[in-house]
Amino acid sequence: MARPGSGLLVPVNGLGYPPQNLARVVVWEWLNEHGRWRPYSAAVCHHIENVLKGDARGTVVLGQVDGQLSPYVIDLQSMHQFRQDTGTMRPVQRNFYEPSSAPGKGVVWEWENDNGSWTPYDMEICVTIQNAYEKQHPWLDLTSLGFCYLIDFNSMCQTNRQSQRKRRLRRRMDLAYPLIMGSIPKSQSWPVGASSGQPCSCQQCILVNSTRAASNAILASQRRKLYGGTAGNLGATGTLAVVRQSNTFAGTSLWSPTSASSGPNNINISMGGGQAKAEQVQLPLSTANFPCSPVMPSLSSTHGHHALIINGQNNLNRPGTQRISMGTARGAIPPGVPALPVKNLTGSGPVHPALAGMTGILMCAAGLPVCLTRAPKPILHPPPINKSDMKPVPGINGMRRKTKKKHLRRGKNPEDVVRRYTEKIKVAPDEDCTICMERLVMSSGYEGVLQHKGIKPELVGKLGKCGHMYHLLCLVAMYNNGNKDGSLQCPTCKTIYGEKTGTQPPGKMEYHVIPHCLPGYPDSKTIRIVYDIPAGIQTNEHPNPGKKFSARGFPRHCYLPDNEKGRKVLKLLIMAWDRRLIFTIGTSSTTGESDTVVWNEIHHKTEFGSNLTGHGYPDPNYLDNVLTELSAQGVGEDNLKD
């Protein structure tokens, strides 16, 4: 692993546009909430490119190639990723790299997060790391890229220059990203279809452009409401002088400012509170703007006004997932206007919020009146319960558990733990050790970094249950980086050897039966679990020892049906609590806050009487799913027999 030569300070940026006659690698990326462009996997990028070749204005369903991305689609016309269950939109971009760079070779650099899983670096950083690795630099400083990290190729770790915290990193091979030939589209010409001139005259494009113009008018009106701008002289002429186009849609605007004049055919868009205060934006439909005017006679044959009344909040998204809120006053629903009830995000309601919003705009553009009703609020808690109504759970002793400040189990020799669960291999196969990424026939990448008597860097061991093979010195290094609790977990298949424990802070767990039933379980009462963990100071087992950690949202109430399987799940959750596996300290995926108490990969139902957030009932698969998650933490049904 020794790499001669000086370190690298100046990054080599693979991003950019090579000469037009050369091949280049395409990487599709999406913009996260922190303003960083995150790459899709190579398989997803191949899928997007294949769709792009067939229809440059089409829609890419990401779930067809990656099951974890099933809620997401990409609109190639507006260059946005759309989440179908929540309506969230994020910008996407198509980036180009040299074929000799990391994405062209299928090289992926990843760092180990707090949950023990691996997160890929941004593509720009990945290209820079790979360039330094190929030039055999011993280290790489990422400060010039805006990150206070130092990459050490000898120890394969990343060090935070401020906190001095180290994380493991690894280099793995994956599918190479798609390679294209020919000219590169200029940024100004993307998204596709955003060209000047006459819009397409087909019926589909006219409807799409009508939808865009309607949404642009809504957003323009919202801006005037939010920032106190004037709406123009709408009372006298009923026309809108200028409609500023939203950045959400980059296509050609159907109505130009010069053609926005009063006409006999108007779409009347009403928003906000009562009808007397509703702001109206009238958009004329002129047949002069359409090369083929007869294709939509329903838009030009009626002289009446059509209303789109949106109560509560408008779910049209702006780039970067920003949402613009409208007035909260509720307006009366005109008689004869069909209502689209927006219920929950999991599909049990008639219409998803995102689908309802899109449908409302399309119906308005087609000259149909529509009213979106306000979504109901989630029912998080049951009705008030007297303390005398709270009963013990049948078959389970007591009604509460407490965990005190537990120290790490010392005195367990790492070498003894590794030897207990492995057997030595005399002839190592010619394959990679997935811990240090060196070949098993060579010495461990931790040679010179770790020194343990009796374990030579070239020794290879095979884990007893799963049979995966690693350098013994690499297993020792992995054990030293964990809880040192006497257990090992295979980094490849996650098989657990011994009893796994976590880093959950001290707290209290209570459980009892309440006389109410959950949706989907009408014949069963409900088990309520209450977790309470106070804020405190991190210890040596936590990410930042000595630093304070927060505990948001406690006490947290969770619910199970009081039936045989529900009581089985509760017994296993109690066991997981005793092993300190329910919570950990890390970064919240919801708020982005670091050094806070978060769930530790065992899902709980925190919504009592509905399923609007996806964390409630009915959910017929939940009990089976949580049993699987508990088993993955080493808390299986076989433990109940002990």
Side-chain angles (χ1 to χ4, degrees):
M1 287 291 290
R3 297 184 176 277
S6 59
L8 185 63
L9 282 170
V10 181
V12 177
N13 187 0
L15 182 63
Y17 297 95
Q20 298 293 311
N21 58 347
L22 296 179
R24 71 277 301 163
V25 174
V26 178
V27 177
W28 284 80
E29 301 168 316
W30 57 277
L31 188 67
N32 69 8
E33 60 273 17
H34 304 297
R36 300 292 305 177
W37 287 101
R38 303 290 296 143
Y40 293 101
S41 67
V44 172
C45 290
H46 277 278
H47 178 59
I48 298 174
E49 286 294 308
N50 289 335
V51 175
L52 181 64
K53 292 176 183 177
D55 183 5
R57 299 170 181 261
T59 299
V60 184
V61 181
L62 300 185
Q64 292 178 348
V65 68
D66 188 343
Q68 294 182 342
L69 301 180
S70 56
Y72 299 96
V73 296
I74 292 178
D75 178 22
L76 296 177
Q77 174 73 16
S78 64
M79 287 295 282
H80 277 78
Q81 171 190 279
F82 181 74
R83 178 161 181 164
Q84 299 174 86
D85 54 354
T86 64
T88 301
M89 294 177 69
R90 298 182 185 272
V92 298
Q93 70 176 11
R94 188 182 188 226
N95 238 330
F96 303 91
Y97 295 85
E98 296 287 349
S100 60
S101 63
K105 297 178 178 179
V107 176
V108 180
W109 285 88
E110 300 172 319
W111 55 276
E112 188 178 31
N113 58 34
D114 294 335
N115 297 326
S117 56
W118 294 91
T119 302
Y121 286 95
D122 297 351
M123 188 55 68
E124 180 182 359
I125 298 176
C126 180
V127 169
T128 302
I129 295 176
Q130 177 63 18
N131 187 282
Y133 179 86
E134 291 177 348
K135 293 183 177 180
Q136 297 191 346
H137 292 284
W139 52 269
L140 169 66
D141 191 345
L142 298 179
T143 304
S144 56
L145 284 178
F147 299 91
C148 57
Y149 296 111
L150 185 69
I151 302 295
D152 188 339
F153 291 111
N154 291 321
S155 60
M156 290 296 284
C157 68
Q158 164 193 286
T159 303
N160 188 315
R161 285 182 168 274
Q162 295 180 349
S163 65
Q164 296 302 311
R165 183 187 180 188
K166 293 185 177 181
R167 294 180 183 271
R168 290 193 301 162
L169 63 97
R170 72 177 183 181
R171 174 182 180 268
R172 67 176 180 86
M173 300 301 298
D174 200 349
L175 179 68
Y177 280 79
L179 187 70
I180 65 169
M181 301 288 294
S183 60
I184 299 176
K186 296 180 180 179
S187 58
Q188 291 81 3
S189 65
W190 199 264
V192 293
S195 58
S196 60
Q198 292 288 346
C200 178
S201 60
C202 70
Q203 184 172 359
Q204 180 181 2
C205 290
I206 290 177
L207 184 58
V208 169
N209 286 329
S210 302
T211 303
R212 287 185 183 148
S215 63
N216 288 332
I218 293 172
L219 294 175
S221 177
Q222 289 173 328
R223 280 192 291 269
R224 286 191 295 277
K225 284 188 175 183
L226 290 176
Y227 302 110
T230 60
N233 185 12
L234 296 178
T237 62
T239 61
L240 176 65
V242 176
V243 177
R244 184 177 178 183
Q245 189 173 2
S246 165
N247 291 330
T248 305
F249 299 102
T252 306
S253 178
L254 182 59
W255 295 283
S256 62
T258 58
S259 64
S261 58
S262 178
N265 306 305
N266 299 289
I267 296 179
N268 188 359
I269 302 176
S270 301
M271 300 179 299
Q275 293 177 348
K277 296 183 179 180
E279 180 178 354
Q280 297 184 351
V281 181
Q282 294 183 339
L283 299 177
L285 284 174
S286 173
T287 56
N289 288 0
F290 298 95
C292 47
S293 57
V295 295
M296 295 189 69
S298 61
L299 291 179
S300 59
S301 60
T302 305
H303 294 267
H305 295 271
H306 307 290
L308 168 61
I309 300 177
I310 303 180
N311 297 309
Q313 266 194 341
N314 177 22
N315 283 331
L316 281 176
N317 289 18
R318 299 293 305 278
T321 71
Q322 297 177 1
R323 297 172 184 263
I324 299 179
S325 299
M326 301 178 61
T328 57
R330 297 182 63 87
I333 300 177
V337 176
L340 296 179
V342 180
K343 292 206 172 176
N344 61 45
L345 302 180
T346 61
S348 60
V351 183
H352 287 194
L355 178 59
M358 297 292 290
T359 305
I361 296 174
L362 289 171
M363 290 176 67
C364 172
L368 299 174
V370 65
C371 176
L372 302 184
T373 62
R374 179 176 297 182
K377 294 182 179 180
I379 304 173
L380 299 179
H381 303 290
I385 303 169
N386 295 325
K387 196 170 183 179
S388 59
D389 293 331
M390 302 178 189
K391 305 298 182 181
V393 180
I396 298 179
N397 296 327
M399 297 177 68
R400 64 179 56 87
R401 312 283 281 201
K402 289 185 178 180
T403 56
K404 297 182 180 179
K405 198 169 185 178
K406 294 186 177 181
H407 298 283
L408 294 175
R409 300 181 183 180
R410 304 295 182 183
K412 295 204 172 184
N413 191 314
E415 300 173 22
D416 295 337
V417 174
V418 170
R419 286 196 178 99
R420 184 183 310 153
Y421 302 121
T422 60
E423 58 183 64
K424 291 183 181 179
I425 301 298
K426 295 182 179 180
V427 181
D430 187 15
E431 59 186 47
D432 285 340
C433 170
T434 57
I435 298 178
C436 69
M437 300 308 296
E438 295 289 349
R439 308 297 286 181
L440 289 174
V441 295
M442 301 176 63
S443 297
S444 167
Y446 287 92
E447 181 181 13
V449 179
L450 291 177
Q451 292 182 353
H452 283 267
K453 296 180 181 180
I455 295 187
K456 298 179 181 180
E458 63 272 10
L459 290 180
V460 176
K462 180 174 72 172
L463 290 171
K465 294 180 183 177
C466 61
H468 290 112
M469 289 177 279
Y470 308 94
H471 294 113
L472 293 180
L473 192 61
C474 292
L475 290 174
V476 170
M478 183 183 72
Y479 179 82
N480 286 333
N481 196 44
N483 287 345
K484 305 183 184 69
D485 58 0
S487 70
L488 273 181
Q489 185 168 14
C490 176
T492 301
C493 65
K494 307 302 180 183
T495 299
I496 296 174
Y497 297 82
E499 183 179 299
K500 179 182 176 181
T501 60
T503 60
Q504 177 180 288
K508 180 174 64 175
M509 174 187 184
E510 296 182 355
Y511 37 89
H512 47 256
V513 176
I514 59 177
H516 297 287
C517 58
L518 295 167
Y521 296 94
D523 301 325
S524 302
K525 295 181 180 180
T526 298
I527 299 172
R528 180 168 62 181
I529 307 171
V530 182
Y531 296 110
D532 197 4
I533 296 179
I537 305 296
Q538 300 182 54
T539 62
N540 291 333
E541 61 185 344
H542 296 134
N544 297 301
K547 187 177 180 180
K548 293 182 179 180
F549 68 86
S550 61
R552 312 291 185 193
F554 287 94
R556 300 187 184 182
H557 293 225
C558 309
Y559 304 95
L560 292 169
D562 183 26
N563 56 23
E564 182 179 355
K565 184 174 284 189
R567 290 190 285 269
K568 179 192 298 183
V569 169
L570 176 61
K571 291 179 182 179
L572 294 176
L573 288 176
I574 293 173
M575 189 177 301
W577 172 267
D578 292 339
R579 297 183 186 180
R580 305 167 66 209
L581 294 170
I582 301 291
F583 297 95
T584 186
I585 295 178
T587 300
S588 171
S589 59
T590 305
T591 65
E593 180 184 9
S594 58
D595 298 305
T596 189
V597 180
V598 296
W599 294 105
N600 188 32
E601 298 184 359
I602 300 175
H603 286 82
H604 287 64
K605 291 295 187 180
T606 56
E607 192 175 346
F608 172 78
S610 56
N611 197 13
L612 300 184
T613 64
H615 302 296
Y617 294 93
D619 186 348
N621 299 320
Y622 168 68
L623 295 178
D624 292 327
N625 291 340
V626 74
L627 286 173
T628 301
E629 292 173 344
L630 285 162
S631 178
Q633 297 287 345
V635 184
E637 297 182 45
D638 53 336
N639 297 113
L640 298 177
K641 301 176 183 179
D642 297 339

